[in-house]
């Protein structure tokens, strides 16, 4: 079964097809809007201690300030993406930028933790409107020959923008004040809003069917419950009552959503029968795994840079930049490669490189080797993820009909959010387990209180080491070596997952025929270049 329909190019306000110059303006506008959303996902991570002190807040409250944004964002992506298809993508993008901008300013001025929590939740609502609409604008506006290149830009920002946002946030914290973190997304929103009003055309779905309110509610409950489990499970415990209740609610709502969508079929929020097609399934699974691995690597890298190498937060973020640059560059090159070799071949090469990158980091990481011991693996990971993300994103958007591009984009984003939460939970747990297992045999002779503290994590070990007198150096080295052991365990697990994905995509990926989507450079009839 195929629901693909011939692409329709959006019309400019004068009634004609959009020229290459305006297409560049459209891509710039949605890219800036996306960057604002992505930067806000990771930016507050560098200000946790500052918020805890200023608001006199517990670590749990600080984590909720950070996580509430992604929780609301993930929960509302599908419903708001579908509403954007119906109500018009330009007015919804304008509304989303307005909500996001106001909430961002409110967060920057928040006098208390409660106000900050509310503002961050409102930011998540705005982000849930913006994120799927930005990709839907691209897929509904760009002609087929240029769409792949535009999607490559979008995926590059979605993948590497978080690291770039974290770098700028860390820089602002070091040179100014942590509240200036909100200045960056506020400026980006203002620029995106001005460009959207001027350059982005409107497009919408005309449907004779009523909006699937039941499906929207079930999807929001399912995503909220499952993301909550992945975010809070490591902190509260996997068998804690809140975790089990959330898991139960999420699973029940998820099963209910699938059942309801099968009942509604073509009139539902998302036709789940489409997952029988290898293109949609392969694209979704690839994004889930790739973003999970990327997020998991972030969990491992920052403690390595800060606790093992002793670097500052800003320098640690700079150290991540080569992977982000490689990822964004490869995302831009992926459409051209896919046009010549096929989407499946491009995805397979990217997945293989990502697996090699994780294996390199597992093999060569060491305390004494420092940053050079992980840099080759980071570069391979960045290139591999960039090559696999663009064709995977395009596989998802191409699998749904043209008038459902808001839903397609939201599905793409939900998959990324699930992958991120799953990767942080899984690889983070593996690192912690590997660390605790390895450090037990290295604490002989260390005072009991210091040893018990060191078992909690490497940051705790670094903090308590200064109070152990002549044992300080031994304890610090034991913690660093143990963390490297946990690192290797997590990296090998990630490499194994990527190998399984490699086999799946090689055998069940999209049909390996050269795609015309990125063939613009070879087409003599193209009206212009991006």
């Amino acid at each position: 079964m195929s629901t693909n329909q011939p692409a329709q190019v959006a019309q400019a306000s004068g009634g004609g097809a959009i020229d290459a110059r305006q297409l560049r303006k459209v891509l710039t506008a949605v890219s800036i809007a996306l960057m604002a959303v992505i930067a806000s996902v990771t930016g507050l991570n560098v200000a946790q201690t500052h918020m805890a002190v200023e608001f006199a807040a517990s670590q749990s409250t600080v984590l909720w300030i950070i996580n509430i944004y992604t929780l609301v964002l993930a929960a509302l992506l599908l419903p708001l993406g579908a509403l954007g298809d119906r109500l018009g993508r330009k007015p919804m993008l304008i509304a989303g930028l307005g909500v996001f901008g106001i909430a961002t300013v409110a967060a920057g001025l928040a006098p208390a933790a409660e106000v900050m929590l509310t503002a961050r939740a409102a930011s998540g609502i705005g982000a849930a409107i913006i994120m799927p609409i930005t990709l839907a604008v691209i897929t509904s506006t760009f002609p087929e020959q240029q769409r792949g290149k535009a999607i490559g830009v979008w995926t590059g920002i979605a993948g590497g923008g978080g690291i770039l946002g974290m770098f700028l946030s860390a820089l602002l914290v070091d040179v100014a004040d942590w509240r200036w973190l909100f200045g960056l997304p506020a400026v980006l929103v203002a620029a995106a809003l001005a460009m959207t009003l001027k350059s982005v055309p409107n497009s919408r779905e005309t449907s004779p069917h009523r909006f699937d309110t039941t499906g929207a509610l079930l999807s929001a409950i399912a995503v909220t419950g499952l993301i909550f489990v992945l975010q809070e499970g490591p902190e509260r415990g996997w068998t804690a009552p809140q975790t089990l209740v959330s898991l139960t609610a999420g699973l029940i709502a998820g099963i209910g959503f699938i059942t309801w969508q099968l009942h509604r079929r073509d009139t539902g929020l998302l036709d789940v029968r489409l997952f029988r097609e290898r293109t949609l399934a392969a694209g979704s699974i690839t994004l889930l795994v790739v973003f999970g691995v990327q997020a998991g690597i972030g969990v491992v890298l920052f403690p390595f840079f800060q606790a093992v190498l002793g670097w500052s937060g800003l320098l640690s973020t700079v150290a991540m930049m080569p992977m982000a640059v490689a990822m964004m560059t490869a995302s831009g090159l992926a459409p051209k490669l896919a046009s010549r070799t096929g989407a499946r071949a491009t995805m397979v090469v990217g997945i293989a490189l990502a697996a090699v990158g994780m294996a390199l980091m597992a093999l060569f990481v060491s305390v004494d080797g420092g940053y050079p011991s992980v840099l080759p693996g980071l570069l391979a990971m960045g290139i591999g993820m960039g090559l696999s993300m663009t064709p995977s994103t395009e596989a998802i958007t191409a699998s749904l009909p043209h008038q459902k591009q808001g839903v397609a984009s939201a599905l793409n984003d939900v998959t990324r959010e699930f992958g991120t939460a799953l990767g942080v939970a899984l690889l983070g747990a593996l690192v912690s387990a590997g660390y605790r297992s390895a450090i037990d045999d290295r604490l002989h002779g260390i005072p009991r209180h210091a040893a018990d503290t060191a078992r909690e994590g490497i940051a705790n070990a670094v903090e308590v080491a200064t109070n152990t007198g002549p044992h300080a150096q031994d304890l610090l080295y034991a913690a660093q070596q143990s963390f490297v052991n946990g690192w290797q365990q997590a990296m090998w697990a990630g490499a194994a997952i990527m190998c399984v994905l490699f086999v799946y995509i090689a055998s069940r990926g999209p049909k390996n025929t050269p795609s015309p989507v990125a063939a613009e450079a070879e087409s003599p009839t193209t009206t212009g270049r991006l």
Side-chain angles (χ1 to χ4, degrees), residues 24-224:
R24 286 193 293 270
K25 292 181 179 179
V26 171
L27 182 59
T28 302
V30 297
S31 296
I32 293 173
L34 177 65
M35 185 64 199
V37 171
I38 297 298
S40 294
V41 173
T42 56
L44 273 187
N45 286 329
V46 300
Q48 293 188 43
T49 56
H50 298 80
M51 289 190 294
V53 171
E54 183 156 341
F55 294 142
S58 66
Q59 179 64 18
S60 176
T61 300
V62 171
L63 289 177
W64 262 110
I65 290 174
I66 294 172
N67 290 337
I68 192 67
Y69 175 80
T70 53
L71 188 65
V72 173
L73 167 62
L76 297 180
L77 278 168
L78 271 178
L80 293 180
L83 277 177
D85 287 333
R86 286 174 171 261
L87 301 180
R89 295 174 182 120
K90 180 173 181 175
M92 281 292 285
L93 181 56
I94 292 171
L97 289 168
V99 171
F100 187 86
I102 293 171
T104 297
V105 173
L109 300 174
E114 294 78 9
V115 178
M116 177 68 81
L117 271 169
T118 303
R120 288 284 289 174
S123 295
I125 296 173
I129 300 173
I130 295 169
M131 200 168 182
I133 295 298
T134 55
L135 184 55
V137 166
I138 290 175
T139 56
S140 63
T141 302
F142 279 75
E144 188 177 3
Q145 291 81 5
Q146 296 169 289
R147 196 176 304 141
K149 184 181 291 186
I151 290 176
V153 173
W154 189 94
T155 56
I157 294 173
I163 299 174
L164 180 59
M166 188 176 290
F167 163 71
L168 294 174
S169 298
L171 181 63
L172 286 170
V173 168
D174 277 11
V175 303
D177 183 82
W178 72 271
R179 289 184 180 272
W180 283 101
L181 294 176
F182 299 98
L184 172 64
V187 170
L188 292 173
V189 164
L193 184 58
M195 295 193 69
T196 298
L197 289 168
K198 183 178 180 180
S199 303
V200 174
N202 191 25
S203 59
R204 60 182 295 179
E205 168 198 359
T206 54
S207 174
H209 307 291
R210 296 178 60 185
F211 180 74
D212 184 8
T213 305
T214 301
L217 181 61
L218 286 171
S219 72
I221 295 173
V223 173
T224 300

Side-chain angles (χ1 to χ4, degrees), residues 152-153 326-339 346 386-387 390 518:
V153 173
M327 188 189 311
M328 297 175 79
T329 302
S331 293
L333 296 175
K336 188 173 183 179
L337 181 60
S339 73
T346 304
L387 289 178
T390 300

Side-chain angles (χ1 to χ4, degrees), residues 2-11 81 84-86 89 135-144 147 202-206 274 396-409:
S2 176
T3 58
N4 292 328
Q5 298 180 357
Q8 303 171 10
V9 180
Q11 305 295 304
D85 287 333
R86 286 174 171 261
R89 295 174 182 120
L135 184 55
V137 166
I138 290 175
T139 56
S140 63
T141 302
F142 279 75
E144 188 177 3
R147 196 176 304 141
N202 191 25
S203 59
R204 60 182 295 179
E205 168 198 359
T206 54
L274 292 173
I396 293 175
T397 57
S399 297
L400 271 75
H402 182 73
Q403 69 269 25
K404 288 281 189 178
Q405 284 305 295
V407 175
S409 305

Side-chain angles (χ1 to χ4, degrees), residues 221-222 224-229 241-251:
I221 295 173
T224 300
L226 297 176
I227 292 289
F228 179 89
V229 169
Q242 301 97 321
T243 306
L244 294 177
V245 169
S246 181
L247 177 62
T248 302
L251 290 176

